[in-house]
Amino acid sequence: MYDLVIVGAGPAGSTLARLAARVGRVLLVDKRRATDRAFHRICGGLLAPVAQRALAAQGLGVPGEVVCGPQLFAVRVMDLVSGDEGLYQRHYLNVDRAAFDGWLRSLVPAGVDRVEGWRFSGLEREGETSIVTFDTPGGGRASVRTRLLVGADGAASSVRIAAFPGQTAPSYIALQGEFPAWGSEPHFGAVFDERLTDHYGWTVPKDDRVLAGIAVPEGKGVRDVHERFIAGIRGAGLISGPQLASGAARIVRPSRPSHLLFGGDGVILIGEAAGLVSPSSAEGISYALRSGAAAAAAIADAGLGVDVVAAYRRTARPLALEVVAKVAKAHALRQPHVRRAIMRSGIGRVGAGGADIGGVIGELMAP
């Protein structure tokens, strides 16, 4: 019998496991093995200022072995349809995402039980506890009983689907390739092309490689869209050389408050499983860190009984309000005429002056 079972050992799950380790018996489960290539996430691996503040609030500093080069202090925004382009100041910390996740997992205390390679397969509520079943390597099955189940298993959360059927958020497919670095400018590239997607594409220099990806509404033809995107940014000079690796993953894009779901009946959701992700940039690391901490605070305040879900909703409320506020920003970025008017104004661009309002415009133009 466990007091707390956490499904998903990414930043959200690892943060909660670290901060709530003393509540009793805790089990942290992940379907991936850290040594598998498939463990590497489809992610630009950039820690935005809000993620840096979240780490600081938890008393953490990123170790040097997690950091990649170059460090990025600007966003290069490009509109492939109009040809408009602008450079806007933004301060990111460039990290190796697999190493970053591994570092967070290494901070989980030894008293927390950990299992890799188990895949969540079912949930049954029995009184005030849950029976959670997993598929294990080699075709086996395992079951554990817990007082509180936490879904920290990302956009395609199996816990959310099982516990709250039909309550999902709009999903996109993020497709990302890796290309050789060839002296590209040290900027985070934010690329817009309404012919391909109502979201955006990105380029991120990463040591000896450049990551290039795009988020596309889930459906047919996503591979074709990605190929067209790669051709477009290759023509714009953002990448060069052959594609060295590629991958795809589902992401969510909340567009209204009902897409956020924090839990109920012995289950809570954190990170992207709860829908906590920026609808403008798809940035989720900061929400993972903060929602993991919010869940730990709720458990410390309310224990593991029936009141913990309500307590978590209270502690996570600022995150929900932040996501809802960013829906308006995402809507503005989706409008080509609005985006181009902002870019053509020159306000907020590096070297264009107007620092006070420039900070606001730069924040808008940084997805």
PDB file of all heavy atoms in Angstrom, residues 29-57:
ATOM      1  N   VAL A  29       6.844   6.224 -11.018  1.00  0.00           N
ATOM      2  CA  VAL A  29       6.844   5.271 -12.131  1.00  0.00           C
ATOM      3  C   VAL A  29       7.004   6.021 -13.449  1.00  0.00           C
ATOM      4  O   VAL A  29       6.392   7.079 -13.650  1.00  0.00           O
ATOM      5  CB  VAL A  29       5.515   4.472 -12.173  1.00  0.00           C
ATOM      6  CG1 VAL A  29       5.527   3.473 -13.325  1.00  0.00           C
ATOM      7  CG2 VAL A  29       5.273   3.770 -10.853  1.00  0.00           C
ATOM      8  N   ASP A  30       7.814   5.480 -14.355  1.00  0.00           N
ATOM      9  CA  ASP A  30       7.922   6.064 -15.693  1.00  0.00           C
ATOM     10  C   ASP A  30       7.957   4.946 -16.722  1.00  0.00           C
ATOM     11  O   ASP A  30       8.602   3.899 -16.504  1.00  0.00           O
ATOM     12  CB  ASP A  30       9.172   6.930 -15.835  1.00  0.00           C
ATOM     13  CG  ASP A  30       9.036   7.928 -16.976  1.00  0.00           C
ATOM     14  OD1 ASP A  30       9.221   7.534 -18.133  1.00  0.00           O
ATOM     15  OD2 ASP A  30       8.714   9.094 -16.689  1.00  0.00           O
ATOM     16  N   LYS A  31       7.265   5.150 -17.836  1.00  0.00           N
ATOM     17  CA  LYS A  31       7.201   4.124 -18.874  1.00  0.00           C
ATOM     18  C   LYS A  31       8.500   4.010 -19.651  1.00  0.00           C
ATOM     19  O   LYS A  31       8.759   3.000 -20.311  1.00  0.00           O
ATOM     20  CB  LYS A  31       6.053   4.401 -19.836  1.00  0.00           C
ATOM     21  CG  LYS A  31       6.206   5.658 -20.665  1.00  0.00           C
ATOM     22  CD  LYS A  31       4.979   5.910 -21.529  1.00  0.00           C
ATOM     23  CE  LYS A  31       5.103   7.188 -22.342  1.00  0.00           C
ATOM     24  NZ  LYS A  31       3.897   7.448 -23.158  1.00  0.00           N
ATOM     25  N   ARG A  32       9.316   5.059 -19.596  1.00  0.00           N
ATOM     26  CA  ARG A  32      10.590   5.044 -20.320  1.00  0.00           C
ATOM     27  C   ARG A  32      11.720   4.619 -19.410  1.00  0.00           C
ATOM     28  O   ARG A  32      11.632   4.739 -18.191  1.00  0.00           O
ATOM     29  CB  ARG A  32      10.897   6.434 -20.885  1.00  0.00           C
ATOM     30  CG  ARG A  32       9.873   6.960 -21.856  1.00  0.00           C
ATOM     31  CD  ARG A  32      10.080   8.439 -22.053  1.00  0.00           C
ATOM     32  NE  ARG A  32      10.000   9.136 -20.776  1.00  0.00           N
ATOM     33  CZ  ARG A  32       9.076  10.046 -20.499  1.00  0.00           C
ATOM     34  NH1 ARG A  32       8.189  10.380 -21.385  1.00  0.00           N
ATOM     35  NH2 ARG A  32       9.060  10.635 -19.319  1.00  0.00           N
ATOM     36  N   ARG A  33      12.770   4.172 -20.023  1.00  0.00           N
ATOM     37  CA  ARG A  33      14.023   3.941 -19.308  1.00  0.00           C
ATOM     38  C   ARG A  33      14.966   5.082 -19.658  1.00  0.00           C
ATOM     39  O   ARG A  33      15.091   5.466 -20.825  1.00  0.00           O
ATOM     40  CB  ARG A  33      14.637   2.597 -19.703  1.00  0.00           C
ATOM     41  CG  ARG A  33      13.766   1.399 -19.330  1.00  0.00           C
ATOM     42  CD  ARG A  33      14.432   0.091 -19.749  1.00  0.00           C
ATOM     43  NE  ARG A  33      13.580  -1.046 -19.508  1.00  0.00           N
ATOM     44  CZ  ARG A  33      13.487  -1.696 -18.347  1.00  0.00           C
ATOM     45  NH1 ARG A  33      14.207  -1.284 -17.320  1.00  0.00           N
ATOM     46  NH2 ARG A  33      12.683  -2.729 -18.204  1.00  0.00           N
ATOM     47  N   ALA A  34      15.631   5.623 -18.663  1.00  0.00           N
ATOM     48  CA  ALA A  34      16.483   6.788 -18.880  1.00  0.00           C
ATOM     49  C   ALA A  34      17.587   6.516 -19.888  1.00  0.00           C
ATOM     50  O   ALA A  34      18.101   7.432 -20.525  1.00  0.00           O
ATOM     51  CB  ALA A  34      17.077   7.253 -17.551  1.00  0.00           C
ATOM     52  N   THR A  35      17.958   5.260 -20.054  1.00  0.00           N
ATOM     53  CA  THR A  35      19.043   4.919 -20.974  1.00  0.00           C
ATOM     54  C   THR A  35      18.566   4.749 -22.408  1.00  0.00           C
ATOM     55  O   THR A  35      19.381   4.628 -23.323  1.00  0.00           O
ATOM     56  CB  THR A  35      19.720   3.611 -20.525  1.00  0.00           C
ATOM     57  OG1 THR A  35      18.725   2.581 -20.419  1.00  0.00           O
ATOM     58  CG2 THR A  35      20.400   3.807 -19.175  1.00  0.00           C
ATOM     59  N   ASP A  36      17.251   4.750 -22.626  1.00  0.00           N
ATOM     60  CA  ASP A  36      16.724   4.555 -23.974  1.00  0.00           C
ATOM     61  C   ASP A  36      16.807   5.844 -24.773  1.00  0.00           C
ATOM     62  O   ASP A  36      16.541   6.931 -24.258  1.00  0.00           O
ATOM     63  CB  ASP A  36      15.264   4.097 -23.932  1.00  0.00           C
ATOM     64  CG  ASP A  36      15.104   2.717 -23.333  1.00  0.00           C
ATOM     65  OD1 ASP A  36      16.125   2.001 -23.257  1.00  0.00           O
ATOM     66  OD2 ASP A  36      13.973   2.365 -22.946  1.00  0.00           O
ATOM     67  N   ARG A  37      17.110   5.721 -26.058  1.00  0.00           N
ATOM     68  CA  ARG A  37      17.107   6.892 -26.935  1.00  0.00           C
ATOM     69  C   ARG A  37      15.711   7.510 -26.977  1.00  0.00           C
ATOM     70  O   ARG A  37      15.545   8.725 -27.056  1.00  0.00           O
ATOM     71  CB  ARG A  37      17.547   6.487 -28.353  1.00  0.00           C
ATOM     72  CG  ARG A  37      17.366   7.571 -29.413  1.00  0.00           C
ATOM     73  CD  ARG A  37      18.179   8.819 -29.103  1.00  0.00           C
ATOM     74  NE  ARG A  37      17.893   9.890 -30.049  1.00  0.00           N
ATOM     75  CZ  ARG A  37      18.307  11.129 -29.901  1.00  0.00           C
ATOM     76  NH1 ARG A  37      19.026  11.462 -28.858  1.00  0.00           N
ATOM     77  NH2 ARG A  37      18.021  12.048 -30.799  1.00  0.00           N
ATOM     78  N   ALA A  38      14.692   6.671 -26.897  1.00  0.00           N
ATOM     79  CA  ALA A  38      13.319   7.168 -26.958  1.00  0.00           C
ATOM     80  C   ALA A  38      12.980   8.070 -25.778  1.00  0.00           C
ATOM     81  O   ALA A  38      11.980   8.778 -25.792  1.00  0.00           O
ATOM     82  CB  ALA A  38      12.336   5.999 -27.013  1.00  0.00           C
ATOM     83  N   PHE A  39      13.829   8.015 -24.734  1.00  0.00           N
ATOM     84  CA  PHE A  39      13.586   8.864 -23.568  1.00  0.00           C
ATOM     85  C   PHE A  39      13.759  10.340 -23.915  1.00  0.00           C
ATOM     86  O   PHE A  39      13.167  11.199 -23.289  1.00  0.00           O
ATOM     87  CB  PHE A  39      14.534   8.469 -22.438  1.00  0.00           C
ATOM     88  CG  PHE A  39      14.258   9.199 -21.149  1.00  0.00           C
ATOM     89  CD1 PHE A  39      13.311   8.723 -20.272  1.00  0.00           C
ATOM     90  CD2 PHE A  39      14.944  10.356 -20.827  1.00  0.00           C
ATOM     91  CE1 PHE A  39      13.040   9.390 -19.094  1.00  0.00           C
ATOM     92  CE2 PHE A  39      14.686  11.026 -19.651  1.00  0.00           C
ATOM     93  CZ  PHE A  39      13.734  10.538 -18.783  1.00  0.00           C
ATOM     94  N   HIS A  40      14.569  10.637 -24.908  1.00  0.00           N
ATOM     95  CA  HIS A  40      14.838  12.021 -25.258  1.00  0.00           C
ATOM     96  C   HIS A  40      13.562  12.674 -25.774  1.00  0.00           C
ATOM     97  O   HIS A  40      12.933  12.184 -26.698  1.00  0.00           O
ATOM     98  CB  HIS A  40      15.948  12.101 -26.308  1.00  0.00           C
ATOM     99  CG  HIS A  40      17.272  11.600 -25.795  1.00  0.00           C
ATOM    100  ND1 HIS A  40      18.426  11.732 -26.508  1.00  0.00           N
ATOM    101  CD2 HIS A  40      17.618  10.973 -24.644  1.00  0.00           C
ATOM    102  CE1 HIS A  40      19.438  11.198 -25.817  1.00  0.00           C
ATOM    103  NE2 HIS A  40      18.956  10.730 -24.690  1.00  0.00           N
ATOM    104  N   ARG A  41      13.206  13.784 -25.198  1.00  0.00           N
ATOM    105  CA  ARG A  41      11.938  14.424 -25.508  1.00  0.00           C
ATOM    106  C   ARG A  41      12.031  15.323 -26.735  1.00  0.00           C
ATOM    107  O   ARG A  41      13.096  15.820 -27.078  1.00  0.00           O
ATOM    108  CB  ARG A  41      11.470  15.260 -24.314  1.00  0.00           C
ATOM    109  CG  ARG A  41      11.209  14.430 -23.060  1.00  0.00           C
ATOM    110  CD  ARG A  41      10.849  15.337 -21.900  1.00  0.00           C
ATOM    111  NE  ARG A  41      10.677  14.579 -20.681  1.00  0.00           N
ATOM    112  CZ  ARG A  41       9.521  14.068 -20.261  1.00  0.00           C
ATOM    113  NH1 ARG A  41       8.449  14.230 -20.999  1.00  0.00           N
ATOM    114  NH2 ARG A  41       9.439  13.403 -19.132  1.00  0.00           N
ATOM    115  N   ILE A  42      10.872  15.520 -27.369  1.00  0.00           N
ATOM    116  CA  ILE A  42      10.770  16.496 -28.443  1.00  0.00           C
ATOM    117  C   ILE A  42      10.577  17.848 -27.767  1.00  0.00           C
ATOM    118  O   ILE A  42       9.485  18.202 -27.318  1.00  0.00           O
ATOM    119  CB  ILE A  42       9.589  16.171 -29.378  1.00  0.00           C
ATOM    120  CG1 ILE A  42       9.717  14.742 -29.923  1.00  0.00           C
ATOM    121  CG2 ILE A  42       9.522  17.191 -30.509  1.00  0.00           C
ATOM    122  CD1 ILE A  42      11.020  14.467 -30.647  1.00  0.00           C
ATOM    123  N   CYS A  43      11.661  18.590 -27.650  1.00  0.00           N
ATOM    124  CA  CYS A  43      11.641  19.826 -26.867  1.00  0.00           C
ATOM    125  C   CYS A  43      12.844  20.660 -27.264  1.00  0.00           C
ATOM    126  O   CYS A  43      13.916  20.123 -27.536  1.00  0.00           O
ATOM    127  CB  CYS A  43      11.691  19.491 -25.371  1.00  0.00           C
ATOM    128  SG  CYS A  43      11.809  20.918 -24.270  1.00  0.00           S
ATOM    129  N   GLY A  44      12.658  21.985 -27.295  1.00  0.00           N
ATOM    130  CA  GLY A  44      13.768  22.867 -27.603  1.00  0.00           C
ATOM    131  C   GLY A  44      14.790  22.951 -26.493  1.00  0.00           C
ATOM    132  O   GLY A  44      15.916  23.401 -26.714  1.00  0.00           O
ATOM    133  N   GLY A  45      14.408  22.557 -25.267  1.00  0.00           N
ATOM    134  CA  GLY A  45      15.363  22.575 -24.167  1.00  0.00           C
ATOM    135  C   GLY A  45      15.808  23.963 -23.759  1.00  0.00           C
ATOM    136  O   GLY A  45      16.977  24.182 -23.454  1.00  0.00           O
ATOM    137  N   LEU A  46      14.862  24.907 -23.735  1.00  0.00           N
ATOM    138  CA  LEU A  46      15.170  26.261 -23.304  1.00  0.00           C
ATOM    139  C   LEU A  46      14.424  26.564 -22.008  1.00  0.00           C
ATOM    140  O   LEU A  46      13.197  26.390 -21.944  1.00  0.00           O
ATOM    141  CB  LEU A  46      14.768  27.289 -24.370  1.00  0.00           C
ATOM    142  CG  LEU A  46      15.485  27.189 -25.712  1.00  0.00           C
ATOM    143  CD1 LEU A  46      14.944  28.249 -26.669  1.00  0.00           C
ATOM    144  CD2 LEU A  46      16.987  27.339 -25.540  1.00  0.00           C
ATOM    145  N   LEU A  47      15.142  27.018 -20.991  1.00  0.00           N
ATOM    146  CA  LEU A  47      14.511  27.411 -19.740  1.00  0.00           C
ATOM    147  C   LEU A  47      14.227  28.908 -19.807  1.00  0.00           C
ATOM    148  O   LEU A  47      15.132  29.740 -19.768  1.00  0.00           O
ATOM    149  CB  LEU A  47      15.413  27.104 -18.552  1.00  0.00           C
ATOM    150  CG  LEU A  47      15.792  25.632 -18.326  1.00  0.00           C
ATOM    151  CD1 LEU A  47      16.574  25.487 -17.032  1.00  0.00           C
ATOM    152  CD2 LEU A  47      14.572  24.743 -18.332  1.00  0.00           C
ATOM    153  N   ALA A  48      12.945  29.242 -19.950  1.00  0.00           N
ATOM    154  CA  ALA A  48      12.527  30.634 -19.978  1.00  0.00           C
ATOM    155  C   ALA A  48      12.735  31.270 -18.608  1.00  0.00           C
ATOM    156  O   ALA A  48      12.909  30.569 -17.600  1.00  0.00           O
ATOM    157  CB  ALA A  48      11.061  30.715 -20.390  1.00  0.00           C
ATOM    158  N   PRO A  49      12.708  32.596 -18.523  1.00  0.00           N
ATOM    159  CA  PRO A  49      12.908  33.258 -17.222  1.00  0.00           C
ATOM    160  C   PRO A  49      11.980  32.747 -16.130  1.00  0.00           C
ATOM    161  O   PRO A  49      12.393  32.617 -14.977  1.00  0.00           O
ATOM    162  CB  PRO A  49      12.650  34.731 -17.550  1.00  0.00           C
ATOM    163  CG  PRO A  49      13.092  34.866 -18.983  1.00  0.00           C
ATOM    164  CD  PRO A  49      12.679  33.581 -19.634  1.00  0.00           C
ATOM    165  N   VAL A  50      10.732  32.429 -16.456  1.00  0.00           N
ATOM    166  CA  VAL A  50       9.809  31.955 -15.428  1.00  0.00           C
ATOM    167  C   VAL A  50      10.225  30.577 -14.918  1.00  0.00           C
ATOM    168  O   VAL A  50      10.054  30.266 -13.728  1.00  0.00           O
ATOM    169  CB  VAL A  50       8.359  31.941 -15.972  1.00  0.00           C
ATOM    170  CG1 VAL A  50       8.192  30.947 -17.109  1.00  0.00           C
ATOM    171  CG2 VAL A  50       7.362  31.665 -14.851  1.00  0.00           C
ATOM    172  N   ALA A  51      10.803  29.744 -15.770  1.00  0.00           N
ATOM    173  CA  ALA A  51      11.321  28.446 -15.314  1.00  0.00           C
ATOM    174  C   ALA A  51      12.553  28.640 -14.442  1.00  0.00           C
ATOM    175  O   ALA A  51      12.740  27.924 -13.444  1.00  0.00           O
ATOM    176  CB  ALA A  51      11.655  27.567 -16.513  1.00  0.00           C
ATOM    177  N   GLN A  52      13.384  29.608 -14.799  1.00  0.00           N
ATOM    178  CA  GLN A  52      14.558  29.900 -13.977  1.00  0.00           C
ATOM    179  C   GLN A  52      14.133  30.377 -12.597  1.00  0.00           C
ATOM    180  O   GLN A  52      14.730  29.990 -11.578  1.00  0.00           O
ATOM    181  CB  GLN A  52      15.411  30.966 -14.675  1.00  0.00           C
ATOM    182  CG  GLN A  52      15.969  30.528 -16.028  1.00  0.00           C
ATOM    183  CD  GLN A  52      16.588  31.671 -16.802  1.00  0.00           C
ATOM    184  OE1 GLN A  52      17.183  32.584 -16.232  1.00  0.00           O
ATOM    185  NE2 GLN A  52      16.439  31.653 -18.114  1.00  0.00           N
ATOM    186  N   ARG A  53      13.087  31.201 -12.530  1.00  0.00           N
ATOM    187  CA  ARG A  53      12.589  31.672 -11.236  1.00  0.00           C
ATOM    188  C   ARG A  53      12.014  30.518 -10.422  1.00  0.00           C
ATOM    189  O   ARG A  53      12.150  30.480  -9.195  1.00  0.00           O
ATOM    190  CB  ARG A  53      11.535  32.762 -11.439  1.00  0.00           C
ATOM    191  CG  ARG A  53      12.105  34.091 -11.921  1.00  0.00           C
ATOM    192  CD  ARG A  53      11.094  35.213 -11.791  1.00  0.00           C
ATOM    193  NE  ARG A  53       9.931  35.018 -12.658  1.00  0.00           N
ATOM    194  CZ  ARG A  53       9.854  35.441 -13.911  1.00  0.00           C
ATOM    195  NH1 ARG A  53      10.885  36.066 -14.472  1.00  0.00           N
ATOM    196  NH2 ARG A  53       8.761  35.243 -14.617  1.00  0.00           N
ATOM    197  N   ALA A  54      11.354  29.574 -11.101  1.00  0.00           N
ATOM    198  CA  ALA A  54      10.791  28.427 -10.399  1.00  0.00           C
ATOM    199  C   ALA A  54      11.893  27.594  -9.764  1.00  0.00           C
ATOM    200  O   ALA A  54      11.764  27.133  -8.620  1.00  0.00           O
ATOM    201  CB  ALA A  54       9.956  27.575 -11.359  1.00  0.00           C
ATOM    202  N   LEU A  55      12.978  27.395 -10.483  1.00  0.00           N
ATOM    203  CA  LEU A  55      14.113  26.654  -9.920  1.00  0.00           C
ATOM    204  C   LEU A  55      14.714  27.404  -8.737  1.00  0.00           C
ATOM    205  O   LEU A  55      15.042  26.807  -7.702  1.00  0.00           O
ATOM    206  CB  LEU A  55      15.171  26.423 -10.994  1.00  0.00           C
ATOM    207  CG  LEU A  55      14.804  25.425 -12.096  1.00  0.00           C
ATOM    208  CD1 LEU A  55      15.821  25.474 -13.221  1.00  0.00           C
ATOM    209  CD2 LEU A  55      14.714  24.001 -11.539  1.00  0.00           C
ATOM    210  N   ALA A  56      14.848  28.717  -8.891  1.00  0.00           N
ATOM    211  CA  ALA A  56      15.406  29.520  -7.798  1.00  0.00           C
ATOM    212  C   ALA A  56      14.520  29.439  -6.554  1.00  0.00           C
ATOM    213  O   ALA A  56      15.019  29.346  -5.429  1.00  0.00           O
ATOM    214  CB  ALA A  56      15.554  30.979  -8.246  1.00  0.00           C
ATOM    215  N   ALA A  57      13.202  29.464  -6.760  1.00  0.00           N
ATOM    216  CA  ALA A  57      12.273  29.395  -5.629  1.00  0.00           C
ATOM    217  C   ALA A  57      12.378  28.065  -4.899  1.00  0.00           C
ATOM    218  O   ALA A  57      12.079  27.981  -3.701  1.00  0.00           O
ATOM    219  CB  ALA A  57      10.843  29.611  -6.125  1.00  0.00           C
TER     220      ALA A  57
END
